[in-house]
Amino acid sequence: QSVLTQPPSASGTPGQRVTISCSGGSSIIGSSTVSWYQQLPGTAPKLLIYSNSQRPTGVPDRFSGSKSGTSASLAISGLQSDDEADYYCAAWDESLNDYVFGTGTKVTVL
Amino acid sequence: QVLLPESGPRLVTSSETLSLTCTVSGGSIDTHYWSWIRQAPGKGPEWMGYVYRSGNSDSSPSLKSRVTISVDTSRNQFSLRLTSVTAADTAVYYCARVVAPTNDAFDIWGQGTFVTVST
């Protein structure tokens, strides 16, 4: 059981904005930076956000990340059918001395 | 363009040792930290550990007694050894590059190798 909790599912229609939350304790999100990954079926996870809000080169600015206290969020604006995937948050847990991935959120485009 | 092809057996017998190698193609292994991450069927990713060019490494507390991650800079490769495997170790194993200089995420991943542990 991960110490980073995400809603199991989220959905929206094309063009809508969808937000995914990631909750953790003070020893993890409160003390570390958060990253976000997108995983399409049968493929490796792809980095969308690192250091809470930084986008790697090539990631569209429709994806944005934020962190406040012991929670973080990923927002997807202008939702597209290609965004249908599993999304994971991740961060370093200082108390466990371990890098932890969240429970995952499946995004469905209606 | 940096690519991370993985190599190694896809089938390992229970109680034996799983060994995989990742080759850093199109870049130098000297510039980043490198990690292994696995994902069991239907589950989320699980970080296994990291290694640096110096050989300095660390691993997840849950796997520390069974995991060794090493580096061969002359071959631009790093490797994973997981001992005493069981069916619970059946998973897709990914090698990945750690983002520099923040070292807080993984920006390049291998294609993944599905390893089955047979009983």
Side-chain angles (χ1 to χ4, degrees):
Chain A
Q1 184 70 19
S2 174
V3 296
L4 290 178
T5 303
Q6 300 177 232
S9 63
S11 62
T13 57
Q16 275 192 327
R17 174 184 170 95
V18 170
T19 301
I20 302 169
S21 62
C22 175
S23 299
S26 58
S27 67
I28 184 166
I29 293 182
S31 305
S32 181
T33 56
V34 178
S35 56
W36 290 91
Y37 301 86
Q38 175 194 61
Q39 187 173 31
L40 301 171
T43 69
K46 173 188 174 183
L47 180 64
L48 293 178
I49 299 290
Y50 67 99
S51 297
N52 302 327
S53 59
Q54 302 302 304
R55 277 187 306 276
T57 303
V59 174
D61 59 7
R62 301 188 298 106
F63 296 93
S64 61
S66 63
K67 186 186 98 166
S68 179
T70 59
S71 294
S73 294
L74 173 72
I76 309 172
S77 60
L79 194 65
Q80 300 178 0
S81 57
D82 290 350
D83 298 332
E84 197 159 274
D86 293 324
Y87 292 80
Y88 295 95
C89 61
W92 184 262
D93 188 324
E94 288 192 348
S95 67
L96 297 178
N97 202 33
D98 200 0
Y99 189 84
V100 180
F101 288 86
T103 51
T105 298
K106 183 175 184 59
V107 169
T108 301
V109 181
L110 302 171
Chain B
Q1 180 188 8
V2 175
L3 297 176
L4 302 177
E6 300 140 358
S7 59
R10 270 61 171 169
L11 183 64
V12 181
T13 303
S14 182
S15 80
E16 298 294 310
T17 297
L18 181 159
S19 296
L20 295 172
T21 295
C22 184
T23 300
V24 179
S25 174
S28 173
I29 201 166
D30 291 341
T31 57
H32 291 76
Y33 282 81
W34 305 89
S35 268
W36 287 96
I37 298 158
R38 69 179 181 177
Q39 187 169 24
K43 303 293 186 182
E46 177 187 17
W47 176 74
M48 301 184 73
Y50 72 77
V51 68
Y52 192 56
R53 62 181 180 183
S54 60
N56 179 39
S57 65
D58 198 6
S59 55
S60 173
S62 64
L63 298 169
K64 195 176 288 287
S65 63
R66 297 195 294 133
V67 164
T68 301
I69 300 176
S70 58
V71 63
D72 185 341
T73 55
S74 67
R75 294 174 178 262
N76 236 29
Q77 294 176 334
F78 62 105
S79 299
L80 169 73
R81 289 184 75 249
L82 180 66
T83 62
S84 305
V85 297
T86 69
D89 295 309
T90 293
V92 178
Y93 287 78
Y94 298 100
C95 58
R97 188 179 80 171
V98 179
V99 171
T102 56
N103 295 330
D104 63 347
F106 311 102
D107 61 347
I108 297 177
W109 295 60
Q111 80 280 7
T113 297
F114 186 74
V115 178
T116 301
V117 176
S118 64
T119 55

